[in-house]
Amino acid sequence: MNFFKEAKALVKANIRDYGMYIALIVIMLTFTIMTNGLFMSSRNISNLLDSAGYIAVLAVGMTLVIVIRHIDLSVGFLAGFLGAIAAIFLTQMGVSVWITIPVILILGALIGLVNGVLVAKIGIPSFVATLAGMLIFRGALLQVTEKTGTIIIKDDQFNAIGNGFIPSIMQINGLHLLTLLVGLIGILLFVYNEISNRRNKMTYGFEVMSSGLFSAKLVLISAIIGYITWILAGYNGLSWTVIIMIVVVVIYHFLSSKTVLGRHIYAVGSNPEAAHLSGINVQKITYIVFGSMGMLAALSGILFTSRLQSATTTAGTLFELDAIAAAYVGGVSSAGGVGKVTGAIIGAIVMASLSSGMNLLGVGISYQYMIRGGVLAGAVIFDVMTRKQRA
């Protein structure tokens, strides 16, 4: 009985963190039942994660931007524009994919830094500065694609980023062995990290959950990771898009939760004035966050362009709104200072799951937009209610 009481109290105390996971599980179970299991098929889950990839990458950067109390509306068409530039490099200029990708990422970071300067140095509100950027990059995208409308990319290495899968060592009963090994490594790293964090907290006298509840948490999450890995291994295995998404979230999770830079970002978001008085360079943090956002927008553009195997005049449309929605659904606070990059990934998967499930059920696009809007409104209402309860 104590186990369930402790679990209930833990969920209640951390409802912002656990709420998104509960919502994702409910959504997946609902669509699985309504589609007679088709939703959780290997092919659909693989396509779902691939379709969420370019938005998830944007959502990670957007989370940090919102954490420091700003917004970036330019990232959608910035992603589309830089994807088109990558296409031009590969097709019209004959540049190698190994040179194109780093150049595009650096260009994205530099553009992001310009936004940071406009906001932090000159003092233009981020909404206005990035709205101007959105219009500029919308026009720039039309300019570079106006001759052909669509730039077809025939570079197999580049196209594999959005459509390819990691190689298979061998097949075991039709399952992708390397994917299973990656999943096993992921489970082991997760267990090691959780045990290490628990020991550190106990060393410094922090309160930790009971051994029974902690063990149940390890088993449950490991089982989920294993199940998703097994599903993907039954199709073509892990795609390069998913691998990139995992790498991005691991790097940004480490930077935001384990480094001085991460602590400074959350300090600026919680109270910029207090952070400045304590010696934190608020302008520098703003530059870094917006520069990071620009780089991730470039990566998103690469993923999307690679997935389509072409650059189009409409690339990037509404990407920024999808990223903002994913960030809020993932638990970022509109008041700043609160939000995790892991939550952004879950938020992106939640939104992608809604779209995938409704498509399988044949729900009209008009209703899909209204339902997704309702989910976003619900996430923000939940954030406001949670902050009022804590106050």
Side-chain angles (χ1 to χ4, degrees), residues 83 90 115 157 173 201 208 244 252-253 259 294 312 325 347 358 384:
L90 293 167
N115 282 335
Q157 289 182 313
N173 294 326
K201 288 181 179 180
V208 296
I244 291 170
Y252 274 80
H253 175 68
T259 66
T312 67
M358 288 188 290
V384 173

Side-chain angles (χ1 to χ4, degrees), residues 65-391:
V65 171
I66 297 173
V67 162
I68 64 169
R69 303 188 180 191
H70 291 297
I71 200 72
D72 193 339
L73 299 178
S74 69
V75 295
F77 285 120
L78 175 58
F81 170 67
L82 292 177
I85 295 298
I88 291 171
F89 277 17
L90 293 167
T91 59
Q92 299 175 17
M93 300 174 64
V95 180
S96 165
V97 65
W98 301 107
I99 296 176
T100 297
I101 291 175
V103 169
I104 295 299
L105 293 177
I106 292 171
L107 184 58
L110 291 174
I111 292 172
L113 281 173
V114 171
N115 282 335
V117 170
L118 292 175
V119 172
K121 187 73 174 178
I122 299 178
I124 300 174
S126 59
F127 182 91
V128 177
T130 59
L131 178 60
M134 180 179 76
L135 297 174
I136 290 170
F137 295 122
R138 173 60 170 150
L141 173 61
L142 292 174
Q143 178 66 31
V144 298
T145 58
E146 67 176 355
K147 291 182 180 179
T148 59
T150 299
I151 304 173
I152 304 297
I153 302 173
K154 296 181 179 179
D155 189 300
D156 292 337
Q157 289 182 313
F158 183 81
N159 291 338
I161 297 172
N163 300 282
F165 297 83
I166 63 174
S168 176
I169 300 175
M170 60 182 292
Q171 297 280 333
I172 299 179
N173 294 326
L175 296 177
H176 197 277
L177 177 59
L178 186 55
T179 296
L180 294 176
L181 291 176
V182 171
L184 178 61
I185 292 171
I187 291 172
L188 293 176
L189 289 175
F190 164 73
V191 172
Y192 172 78
N193 184 63
E194 288 295 314
I195 292 175
S196 177
N197 287 341
R198 177 180 169 83
R199 285 176 177 172
N200 289 336
K201 288 181 179 180
M202 292 175 69
T203 300
Y204 292 102
F206 289 103
E207 184 178 353
V208 296
M209 64 181 71
S210 65
S211 298
L213 188 59
F214 179 71
S215 299
K217 175 186 175 182
L218 293 183
V219 171
L220 177 62
I221 296 180
S222 297
I224 292 173
I225 295 173
Y227 180 60
I228 296 297
T229 303
W230 179 74
I231 289 176
L232 294 174
Y235 184 49
N236 288 323
L238 286 168
S239 67
W240 287 115
T241 296
V242 173
I243 293 295
I244 291 170
M245 189 166 61
I246 292 172
V247 170
V248 167
V249 75
V250 168
I251 292 173
Y252 274 80
H253 175 68
F254 175 79
L255 289 175
S256 62
S257 63
K258 305 291 185 181
T259 66
V260 174
L261 173 62
R263 289 193 288 273
H264 285 181
I265 288 172
Y266 284 95
V268 169
S270 297
N271 192 323
E273 291 78 14
H276 175 71
L277 292 174
S278 65
I280 296 174
N281 190 330
V282 177
Q283 281 191 357
K284 181 181 176 181
I285 295 299
T286 306
Y287 298 157
I288 291 173
V289 171
F290 273 95
S292 165
M293 181 75 261
M295 184 186 68
L296 290 177
L299 179 57
S300 175
I302 290 170
L303 289 173
F304 184 73
T305 304
S306 172
R307 183 169 173 78
L308 291 185
Q309 301 182 32
S310 63
T312 67
T313 56
T314 58
T317 305
L318 298 181
F319 282 16
E320 69 284 345
L321 299 185
D322 286 337
I324 292 169
Y328 276 115
V329 171
V332 72
S333 174
S334 55
V338 176
K340 296 180 179 179
V341 295
T342 48
I345 296 293
I346 299 301
I349 295 175
V350 165
M351 301 305 283
S353 297
L354 283 171
S355 296
S356 176
M358 288 188 290
N359 285 332
L360 290 175
L361 292 173
V363 177
I365 190 67
S366 58
Y367 290 107
Q368 288 193 31
Y369 276 117
M370 288 188 280
I371 291 171
R372 291 171 65 192
V375 170
L376 174 58
V380 177
I381 291 170
F382 178 76
D383 166 49
V384 173
M385 296 290 288
T386 303
R387 280 192 284 118
K388 283 183 177 180
Q389 289 178 356
R390 289 181 177 179

